[in-house]
Amino acid sequence: MRVGVTCYPTVGGSGTVATELGLAMARRGHEVHFICYAMPYRLGRVPPGVTFHEVTVPTYPLFQYPPYSLALASQMADAVRTHGIELLHVHYAIPHAVSALLAREILGGGPRLVVTLHGTDITVVGADPSFLPIVRLGIERADAVTAVSADLARVTRQTLGVDRQIEVIPNFVDASRCDRELSAAHRRRLSPDGAPILLHASNFRPVKRVRDVIEVFRQVVERVPCHLVMLGDGPDRPAAERLVRELDLGPRVEFLGNVSPVEGVLGAGDIFLLPSQEESFGLAALEAMSCGVAVVASNAGGLPELIAHGDGGFVFPIGDTAAMAAQVVALLLDRAELGRQRERARCRAVEHFATDIVVDRYEELCRRLVGHD
Ligand code: GMT
């Protein structure tokens, strides 16, 4: 098959999933064309079977808002025409879905369209009245729509008022990216006293409730010595760093920003904290689980589909930092149980969310639409 993939190329779950899926499809012999405004951060050296098409947006004095969606549509149409692309797979509905529809208009028909919904494209930005009608159009007109959790599929139908099939295909992880040696080296540096390590990784947006991460840590460290490692970057990071200083937690908390490979640091931890307000899936938690890290999270959105309470992870009501902290303390005080939970987290990631299992489902969907056996 010849497939065009569009995603946000920056660090983030949807870009990671889109890129890893494209790479997996290329390894399976398909021709994959990434059509994005920059090289996806996870692409690295472009392997055989993969082509990158950069979308450039010309500037002009009249353009206070350069029309990226239109440049993307033109670039999609051009790539389809030149390379005989049979299917466009766009990740994150805004604006990719409607750009793909426009590309089909330009071509007077053409490729099949798959839209994969990732979360805030529906729950936050997509629900905004300024985008809702255009997101609904993209979803209604696509040949197939997938969502990364059943909860996101349900919320999409409810929020947009659409009544169409949305296939649930969860995110996936390649556990071989975990590197025990690298993680051991990180652990020696991050915890010179050998105390356990709590982790958080996100884009530090308000939906992540980063203050709750710090509040949980504050309650835990009062009872058990430990460290907190914060990965990623975003608008709430300065306030989080300030809060850590105000609470006098500085010596025990490190903000590392975006690190690569993230699994190196994730594998150095014991427990991953994800107390989000909204979370359609929680890819960072899955990555941590695949490296043998237990998860303590909120029960927002699709998190209970990823985390089976008591089996490698625990979920609690959003904002219940006391319950989360009590769970973390219980695990840190019972090292045998912590070890069992960490192993269960790894098993669950590998048994339910391994790359091959999930890529099979996307490949089957694409074949069905394109009509290949
Ligand atoms: O908008 C975001 O927070 C980023 C977005 C992304 O592009 O990574 O995250 C969403 O997609 C991820 C990949 O499917 C999911 O793992 C995240 O749970 C989801 N974020 C939210 O729902 C807040």
Side-chain angles (χ1 to χ4, degrees):
M1 256 179 298
R2 291 180 295 279
V3 180
V5 177
T6 294
C7 64
Y8 282 101
T10 44
V11 176
S14 61
T16 303
V17 169
T19 309
E20 292 296 342
L21 175 58
L23 290 171
M25 292 287 277
R27 283 194 296 274
R28 292 177 178 211
H30 303 292
E31 193 178 299
V32 179
H33 297 261
F34 284 95
I35 309 163
C36 312
Y37 65 75
M39 179 92 88
Y41 87 101
R42 194 72 173 243
L43 201 51
R45 294 169 63 195
V46 177
V50 172
T51 308
F52 169 59
H53 306 257
E54 184 172 337
V55 180
T56 50
V57 190
T59 54
Y60 189 68
L62 286 181
F63 293 167
Q64 190 179 350
Y65 305 105
Y68 168 65
S69 328
L70 305 184
L72 174 60
S74 299
Q75 181 70 71
M76 282 170 159
D78 185 59
V80 167
R81 210 183 281 119
T82 312
H83 298 277
I85 289 172
E86 297 157 284
L87 181 140
L88 288 172
H89 188 171
V90 304
H91 292 259
Y92 207 88
I94 304 172
H96 306 147
V98 80
S99 295
L101 291 182
L102 277 175
R104 290 211 295 207
E105 284 292 316
I106 294 169
L107 294 162
R112 313 315 300 272
L113 171 60
V114 179
V115 177
T116 290
L117 307 173
H118 281 274
T120 51
D121 45 354
I122 300 298
T123 56
V124 180
V125 214
D128 190 291
S130 24
F131 289 121
L132 192 145
I134 202 84
V135 175
R136 186 195 286 131
L137 181 77
I139 287 173
E140 280 174 344
R141 298 274 173 87
D143 297 298
V145 178
T146 75
V148 298
S149 63
D151 184 75
L152 180 59
R154 182 188 58 76
V155 172
T156 303
R157 283 194 206 91
Q158 194 180 51
T159 309
L160 303 185
V162 290
D163 179 26
R164 67 156 300 161
Q165 196 197 352
I166 298 176
E167 194 164 334
V168 178
I169 305 186
N171 288 334
F172 56 90
V173 74
D174 174 4
S176 73
R177 290 178 61 90
C178 303
D179 177 338
R180 277 172 189 262
E181 257 179 54
L182 179 61
S183 294
H186 276 298
R187 191 173 176 101
R188 282 192 295 276
R189 204 196 68 72
L190 293 166
S191 174
D193 59 358
I197 297 176
L198 311 188
L199 295 162
H200 171 74
S202 76
N203 50 22
F204 286 72
R205 299 222 196 107
V207 288
K208 300 294 175 177
R209 296 182 71 104
V210 176
R211 287 184 73 94
D212 282 10
V213 174
I214 295 162
E215 177 53 24
V216 169
F217 178 71
R218 186 191 69 73
Q219 294 179 37
V220 173
V221 80
E222 271 177 6
R223 288 177 266 175
V224 191
C226 56
H227 300 273
L228 174 64
V229 175
M230 305 286 272
L231 298 173
D233 214 336
D236 284 354
R237 179 172 162 185
E241 296 206 38
R242 209 166 40 243
L243 181 61
V244 164
R245 280 195 300 274
E246 282 164 13
L247 294 172
D248 230 1
L249 296 170
R252 293 213 156 254
V253 183
E254 279 223 45
F255 288 80
L256 296 184
N258 288 315
V259 294
S260 178
V262 70
E263 294 85 355
V265 182
L266 289 177
D270 295 278
I271 299 173
F272 185 86
L273 302 175
L274 195 62
S276 310
Q277 182 72 37
E278 305 268 1
E279 202 67 71
S280 66
F281 183 86
L283 183 67
L286 175 60
E287 288 170 332
M289 288 163 67
S290 75
C291 296
V293 177
V295 178
V296 172
S298 72
N299 59 3
L303 285 174
E305 296 170 51
L306 168 65
I307 302 159
H309 189 79
D311 186 25
F314 300 85
V315 290
F316 297 97
I318 297 165
D320 194 347
T321 54
M324 293 177 201
Q327 183 61 64
V328 173
V329 169
L331 288 171
L332 297 186
L333 292 177
D334 182 349
R335 293 304 172 90
E337 178 59 8
L338 175 61
R340 269 193 297 277
Q341 291 296 341
R342 291 182 56 178
E343 180 52 18
R344 284 308 307 153
R346 199 191 60 76
C347 289
R348 185 166 165 78
V350 172
E351 284 164 14
H352 297 273
F353 304 98
T355 303
D356 274 348
I357 302 172
V358 178
V359 173
D360 277 353
R361 299 210 31 216
Y362 277 115
E363 190 180 23
E364 203 266 320
L365 169 69
C366 295
R367 279 191 198 284
R368 221 188 307 142
L369 291 176
V370 169
H372 283 217
D373 297 330

